[in-house]
Amino acid sequence: MGRHSLPEEPVPHPLDPPKRAAGRSETTGSHRIVGKKAPRRRIAKWPIAAVVLAALVALGVFGWNWADGLLNSRAEAEAASCAGGTSDLRVLVTPSAAQPVTQAAAKWNQAATVVHGRCIHVTVESMPSAQVLDALTGRTNVDAIGGLPAAWLPESGYWVSELTTAKPELISSPAQSVATARSADYPFICLGGKAADDIQQRAAQTFREYLKQPAQQADFAAAGIKAA
């Protein structure tokens, strides 16, 4: 038998494109690409938007706090300098409550408390309720108590009732208790009537509320007078 020789493979021309192996496709990494190349992955936009929004909110909060702090600093500076001027507030107090009210006035004055645009300096004078009532109702001269005070703090509502009956026009606002003790309610009453100076009236009402605060109530308790 004659030997059969294998057919010779044709020699590829240098310009011919290289042949691909049968059954194989172009690959990129571990992903197969069939036909067109795989599209690029898109980055989600919502995380970026969330970060930007959070940054804007943080800047807004910082700006608000900074502006608020600046306004507070200016207000404190104006209060300390009493740029609007100073007004005196004279309060007559029954002797049994003189100590805690005087302590409250000292703290109030030290803080340069501003009411209605002015620094208010509180002066406390201890005086028996009967003496004050006589002067306010005209039984004695009002000069006997140093003139008409801005406010009065007797030991009980009895004295306020007597004043309301005799001279209701002197009362600027209803009396309010600022402390209590046995058979005593310590009513704080603002005086001056309709003709009262607006700053004085507001200052008297503000000081009355100041006496109701915990720190001042502690002073009343230390003097043997319970909180309101």
Side-chain angles (χ1 to χ4, degrees):
M1 294 180 62
R3 292 183 179 180
H4 297 279
S5 60
L6 297 174
E8 296 183 359
E9 293 184 1
V11 179
H13 191 276
L15 299 180
D16 290 342
K19 292 182 178 181
R20 297 179 181 176
R24 298 183 62 182
S25 63
E26 195 175 306
T27 61
T28 301
S30 61
H31 298 280
R32 296 174 60 85
I33 300 177
V34 180
K36 297 182 180 180
K37 292 184 178 181
R40 294 181 179 179
R41 292 183 178 179
R42 295 183 179 181
I43 300 176
K45 295 182 180 180
W46 68 265
I48 298 176
V51 171
V52 173
L53 179 60
L56 291 176
V57 170
L59 288 174
V61 171
F62 173 79
W64 174 264
N65 290 336
W66 176 82
D68 186 55
L70 182 61
L71 290 175
N72 287 337
S73 297
R74 288 179 178 177
E76 291 174 359
E78 289 177 0
S81 63
C82 293
T86 301
S87 293
D88 293 325
L89 183 73
R90 183 166 168 260
V91 182
L92 299 186
V93 182
T94 187
S96 60
Q99 180 180 344
V101 177
T102 300
Q103 291 173 333
K107 290 183 285 186
W108 168 288
N109 294 336
Q110 186 177 8
T113 306
V114 176
V115 177
H116 210 47
R118 298 178 69 87
C119 281
I120 304 299
H121 185 273
V122 178
T123 301
V124 177
E125 297 180 22
S126 175
M127 203 167 294
S129 298
Q131 182 181 348
V132 176
L133 180 65
D134 286 344
L136 293 179
T137 57
R139 295 171 189 165
T140 60
N141 196 304
V142 73
D143 292 338
I145 60 172
L148 182 66
W152 179 30
L153 181 61
E155 64 270 16
S156 72
Y158 164 79
W159 304 102
V160 175
S161 178
E162 289 292 304
L163 178 61
T164 302
T165 301
K167 290 282 185 178
E169 66 274 14
L170 284 182
I171 301 174
S172 298
S173 63
Q176 293 184 19
S177 175
V178 295
T180 57
R182 182 177 297 179
S183 69
D185 56 350
Y186 294 98
F188 188 103
I189 185 168
C190 303
L191 301 175
K194 295 181 180 179
D197 178 82
D198 186 54
I199 294 177
Q200 288 277 305
Q201 187 172 0
R202 287 175 179 266
Q205 294 172 352
T206 304
F207 184 66
R208 178 186 63 199
E209 296 306 311
Y210 182 75
L211 292 176
K212 296 180 182 180
Q213 293 180 5
Q216 285 63 255
Q217 290 293 297
D219 291 337
F220 277 106
I225 303 172
K226 296 180 180 180

